[in-house]
Amino acid sequence: MSSLLVRLEAIESRLAIRTRPRTENNSLTWRCWRCRVADQGIHTRNSSTHASPEHEQALSASLKEPIAFSGPQEGSQAPSLSRTSAILNGLAAHTITPRTTISQPAPLSAKDKVFYALRNKQHKTLLKVFLEASKDEQFIQSIPPATLTEILRMLDPDYFVEPIKELHEDLSTAYVRLLGIKPLDVEVSEYMRSIRRLTRIRRRANHPLDLTDYTFLLKCARAVGDSEAADGIWLDMMRDKVQPNTTCYNYYLAARCWAGHAHAGRRHKLRVMPYNMAMRQTAEPLPGFEGFRVKRQGIRSTVFQMFNEMVQQGVQGDERTFTLLMTAMGREGDMDGVKSVLKKAWNVDVDALLKAADESTLAPVVPLDKATSALYPGDDLLFAIAHIFGSNNDIPTAIRLVDYIARQYEIDIPLRVWAQLFEWTFVLSTPRSGERRHDGPQIGQLPLASVSQLWETMTSPPYNVRPNVPMYNRYVKNLYHRQMLGQMLARMEEGIELYSRSVKQFRRASNKYRKTVVAVRGSRNGQSRAQRKQAEQESSLPIESLRFHYEMSRLVRSRNHQMVRRWMRLLLGGRRWSAGPNNAWERTVLPDIIEKWRSFMPERIEYNTSGGRVEFDSRPEDAESKTSQTKKQKDSRKPHKAVRKEESPSVE
């Protein structure tokens, strides 16, 4: 019996109870607490005691022996007290390795976040963390002026404004609502509020703005078309006695000439015709006409007053300066002044060019060195000519001038210049109806075929322009008005191919962004909260850049998709195309188009035929139920009339 008790005590002593007590340095460890054999007066040693070789041998021997729960066998002897003590001491030495304590890194301070974002060129992150850190007066006071200047330059409108502005140029207010995105005027207003706040922070730190800072602020005002902000910045420059340079003058003049262009629907109100000019002279202009005024205290006199001041200060103008002078003249219809600037600056005689049958008889243009001359023409001059003459209802002169200057100075005509020419050609060729026929739009009216002529010119050698989806959108509308179904379908096919490319670009950008985010998150497994936070900050550079490309490609894809859907509605809505032999259009062609481009079709398809009106749901599974429901609703609204409908064509 004594043998059984001692063996049971040995078994109990091997059972380690795992707990998590705190050590002296407050770190977490695993310890093996040993039981006390009170009957034998045996006490366990401290867990830090190491087992001797004898203890290890005794432990090994005890584990090899079988444990019996019966009484002592014949010839057996009870284990000695010394052996039991050795077993317990061996178990005491057999402890679990303590777990390593994880050091918690200190979170980044506001100053560290700002300088980290600045060093890694994280534009949006820098704007966010700097505005948060601006609450710390001591931190703001400690930032050197050069660093504050660099922070301002990181918030460049070329990153925050220009890409969005370029995308919104072809979006109406209705399209913006349909896409569910912020209007451009809201985007630029938020951006300018941030810039003003950063400027106040700079002044609060008792760091006066220098020429570089004011140049950047004027660039921001020019990018968003905020003439009031440009006026305020200019007054601050004069108060701080900062002498503006050519770039400052150009930014200020551009903010004046392009005031309010960020608002949707204002581009075509720049067209010079009696109604628009009258609206810009009223005491309270209607929405869309607030950007600038004409005649008395108008845009022309304001810009020339600033130009005269520029000359008096001895500041030399460049190509952009003279293009802005011409733009201000063009805003008020002073085309003689525009031609005079072209003659004096580049020796381009517009009237002689239009009359000349042979360009070799014209006086040569001013020879300029592209590397050294500030007046050497480029994209700015070509775009200004396209815009000024186009908005003044003279597209033929605009096309002739752009082509002539580009050849004389060996300039490749960029896509944005062709897009400007094509847009004004479309505007001037579109017929007006209703009251709009009497407010002056007939000035400079072009034939509908002018759009096709310009399209053929720019897409053929030597130009070989590749139009974008907005240009296809205008051309498809023009062909629709001209009832040219064959060419319309061909251009739609090409436009849908461009849309497919934008979808592929979006998917590539989306995959890159998603994989980067997943990789960063996956690398944080097992990290503490502070370590994950630090990893997010360190990985925000590629994530921010990839997210920017992802968002822009998503907007381009959505814009293109809505334009293609608009083409489908033109095919289906209202107009009955030439049926052809045996009504081929309504019996064969249109059903094939619906089947081919089903993903772009509206959910409810309706169109007229020679035998009635066809209505059906583009989703086959719901077609029968929804068609019957629509029929019941129409019958209930008009019970006294019988609605004749043709059986829905099969699109299977």
Side-chain angles (χ1 to χ4, degrees):
M1 185 65 180
S2 60
S3 174
L4 176 61
L5 291 175
V6 173
R7 289 179 181 269
L8 287 174
E9 291 169 354
I11 293 172
E12 292 174 353
S13 66
R14 297 173 191 170
L15 300 178
I17 303 175
R18 294 183 177 180
T19 61
R20 302 182 66 182
R22 297 279 180 175
T23 59
E24 294 180 359
N25 59 359
N26 203 32
S27 62
L28 297 176
T29 60
W30 286 98
R31 296 186 60 187
C32 181
W33 288 73
R34 297 170 304 282
C35 62
R36 176 183 179 185
V37 186
D39 294 342
Q40 303 294 336
I42 301 174
H43 301 274
T44 61
R45 297 185 181 183
N46 189 278
S47 60
S48 61
T49 305
H50 296 281
S52 63
E54 294 80 1
H55 293 163
E56 294 180 358
Q57 293 176 2
L59 176 62
S60 300
S62 66
L63 293 177
K64 291 178 181 178
E65 292 183 359
I67 300 176
F69 291 92
S70 59
Q73 298 179 1
E74 185 178 355
S76 64
Q77 297 180 356
S80 64
L81 184 61
S82 60
R83 184 184 176 192
T84 303
S85 178
I87 293 173
L88 294 176
N89 288 331
L91 286 173
H94 193 68
T95 58
I96 298 177
T97 305
R99 184 166 57 179
T100 305
T101 303
I102 299 176
S103 59
Q104 302 290 336
L108 294 179
S109 63
K111 183 177 180 180
D112 294 335
K113 292 179 182 179
V114 170
F115 286 109
Y116 185 88
L118 181 62
R119 182 172 61 254
N120 291 280
K121 299 186 183 302
Q122 302 173 10
H123 302 267
K124 293 186 177 180
T125 303
L126 177 63
L127 176 61
K128 178 181 178 181
V129 298
F130 186 73
L131 292 178
E132 292 177 354
S134 63
K135 302 175 183 178
D136 186 352
E137 292 288 344
Q138 185 177 1
F139 166 66
I140 296 300
Q141 295 288 341
S142 65
I143 300 179
T147 303
L148 286 174
T149 299
E150 187 63 25
I151 290 174
L152 279 176
R153 293 178 61 184
M154 278 288 294
L155 307 179
D156 199 310
D158 290 343
Y159 180 88
F160 284 90
V161 178
E162 294 297 341
I164 302 175
K165 186 172 68 176
E166 182 179 355
L167 179 65
H168 277 260
E169 285 181 353
D170 299 295
L171 296 179
S172 63
T173 305
Y175 265 30
V176 170
R177 287 197 300 265
L178 192 61
L179 294 177
I181 60 178
K182 287 184 180 180
L184 182 58
D185 54 347
V186 175
E187 292 275 5
V188 299
S189 297
E190 293 177 354
Y191 173 75
M192 284 305 296
R193 279 198 298 269
S194 300
I195 296 299
R196 293 191 187 98
R197 185 175 174 184
L198 292 176
T199 305
R200 289 194 297 268
I201 292 172
R202 173 72 180 262
R203 294 187 181 278
R204 196 176 69 201
N206 296 323
H207 295 316
L209 301 177
D210 57 15
L211 178 61
T212 303
D213 298 325
Y214 278 117
T215 303
F216 171 79
L217 294 177
L218 288 170
K219 181 180 181 180
C220 295
R222 186 268 308 170
V224 302
D226 193 340
S227 59
E228 294 182 359
D231 290 339
I233 295 168
W234 197 266
L235 291 176
D236 290 342
M237 286 184 68
M238 300 300 102
R239 182 190 61 191
D240 293 342
K241 297 181 180 180
V242 176
Q243 180 62 38
N245 56 15
T246 303
T247 305
C248 291
Y249 278 103
N250 288 342
Y251 285 152
Y252 178 80
L253 296 178
R256 278 288 187 172
C257 292
W258 294 94
H261 72 281
H263 298 264
R266 289 192 178 183
R267 295 196 316 279
H268 297 164
K269 291 183 173 62
L270 297 175
R271 183 180 176 186
V272 178
M273 57 185 188
Y275 176 79
N276 291 349
M277 294 296 102
M279 289 296 100
R280 296 191 183 278
Q281 298 180 59
T282 59
E284 296 182 0
L286 295 176
F289 297 96
E290 310 97 328
F292 59 88
R293 302 184 65 80
V294 297
K295 303 300 181 182
R296 185 180 180 182
Q297 296 181 349
I299 181 66
R300 184 183 183 279
S301 61
T302 302
V303 169
F304 265 85
Q305 180 181 356
M306 185 61 65
F307 178 73
N308 292 333
E309 177 185 326
M310 179 180 178
V311 174
Q312 293 174 2
Q313 295 294 331
V315 180
Q316 296 293 329
D318 57 8
E319 176 209 7
R320 182 167 296 180
T321 307
F322 288 101
T323 59
L324 291 169
L325 287 178
M326 292 190 297
T327 302
M329 296 176 184
R331 291 282 184 262
E332 299 194 20
D334 183 11
M335 299 309 294
D336 290 336
V338 173
K339 296 175 183 179
S340 176
V341 173
L342 287 171
K343 176 67 175 177
K344 293 179 180 179
W346 295 283
N347 197 31
V348 176
D349 192 334
V350 178
D351 295 330
L353 175 64
L354 297 178
K355 295 177 182 178
D358 185 3
E359 292 182 359
S360 61
T361 61
L362 299 174
V365 297
V366 176
L368 298 171
D369 186 3
K370 185 176 182 180
T372 59
S373 177
L375 286 177
Y376 193 91
D379 297 355
D380 289 337
L381 178 60
L382 298 183
F383 182 84
I385 291 174
H387 175 76
I388 293 168
F389 283 88
S391 60
N392 279 269
N393 315 296
D394 195 357
I395 277 294
T397 302
I399 297 174
R400 183 75 182 274
L401 267 177
V402 167
D403 176 69
Y404 176 75
I405 295 177
R407 285 187 287 105
Q408 294 300 315
Y409 287 99
E410 299 180 352
I411 307 171
D412 292 331
I413 304 176
L415 179 61
R416 72 185 188 110
V417 175
W418 286 113
Q420 186 72 192
L421 290 171
F422 194 76
E423 179 179 359
W424 283 111
T425 302
F426 171 79
V427 171
L428 294 175
S429 65
T430 302
R432 306 296 174 181
S433 59
E435 296 181 357
R436 294 300 310 275
R437 300 177 60 183
H438 308 292
D439 59 9
Q442 69 277 5
I443 301 175
Q445 186 71 39
L446 297 174
L448 281 170
S450 301
V451 176
S452 292
Q453 295 172 2
L454 179 57
W455 184 275
E456 294 298 327
T457 299
M458 67 183 185
T459 56
S460 303
Y463 305 112
N464 298 318
V465 175
R466 295 182 178 180
N468 53 26
V469 174
M471 296 173 73
Y472 272 99
N473 184 50
R474 294 187 177 94
Y475 194 21
V476 168
K477 291 180 181 179
N478 175 266
L479 295 172
Y480 169 79
H481 288 300
R482 297 161 62 190
Q483 302 187 41
M484 302 183 68
L485 178 61
Q487 292 192 33
M488 180 179 175
L489 293 176
R491 300 293 84 77
M492 288 173 61
E493 188 84 35
E494 296 171 1
I496 291 175
E497 176 62 27
L498 287 181
Y499 163 75
S500 300
R501 295 179 188 176
S502 67
V503 172
K504 293 178 181 178
Q505 293 174 356
F506 165 73
R507 288 175 178 172
R508 285 196 296 266
S510 177
N511 290 335
K512 288 182 180 180
Y513 173 61
R514 179 180 55 82
K515 289 180 180 179
T516 303
V517 172
V518 171
V520 170
R521 290 178 178 175
S523 64
R524 301 173 194 165
N525 293 335
Q527 294 179 340
S528 64
R529 178 177 297 181
Q531 288 174 324
R532 290 195 300 270
K533 189 71 174 178
Q534 186 171 357
E536 289 176 1
Q537 294 166 351
E538 293 175 352
S539 62
S540 58
L541 172 61
I543 289 180
E544 178 179 311
S545 177
L546 292 175
R547 181 175 179 82
F548 173 78
H549 291 293
Y550 159 74
E551 291 177 347
M552 294 305 302
S553 62
R554 178 177 61 85
L555 290 177
V556 171
R557 182 208 59 174
S558 300
R559 178 201 65 185
N560 295 346
H561 185 262
Q562 291 300 329
M563 289 183 175
V564 175
R565 286 175 61 89
R566 172 61 177 163
W567 304 344
M568 302 304 163
R569 290 193 294 270
L570 289 177
L571 277 178
L572 300 174
R575 185 180 299 277
R576 285 189 53 199
W577 304 96
S578 299
N582 300 321
N583 294 327
W585 161 251
E586 61 190 54
R587 301 287 182 178
T588 306
V589 179
L590 184 55
D592 290 344
I593 292 174
I594 294 174
E595 175 65 20
K596 181 179 180 180
W597 292 331
R598 179 189 297 272
S599 60
F600 304 109
M601 291 291 173
E603 292 185 4
R604 186 69 180 172
I605 296 179
E606 303 178 6
Y607 60 91
N608 296 322
T609 66
S610 58
R613 182 171 178 80
V614 177
E615 299 180 9
F616 64 95
D617 198 300
S618 60
R619 292 174 295 183
E621 61 272 13
D622 300 332
E624 183 176 355
S625 60
K626 288 195 174 183
T627 302
S628 60
Q629 182 179 1
T630 304
K631 182 177 180 180
K632 290 180 181 179
Q633 292 175 353
K634 289 190 175 182
D635 290 343
S636 63
R637 289 195 299 266
K638 298 180 180 180
H640 59 284
K641 290 185 179 181
V643 181
R644 180 184 178 186
K645 293 185 180 180
E646 187 180 66
E647 183 180 356
S648 300
S650 174
V651 293
E652 294 297 324

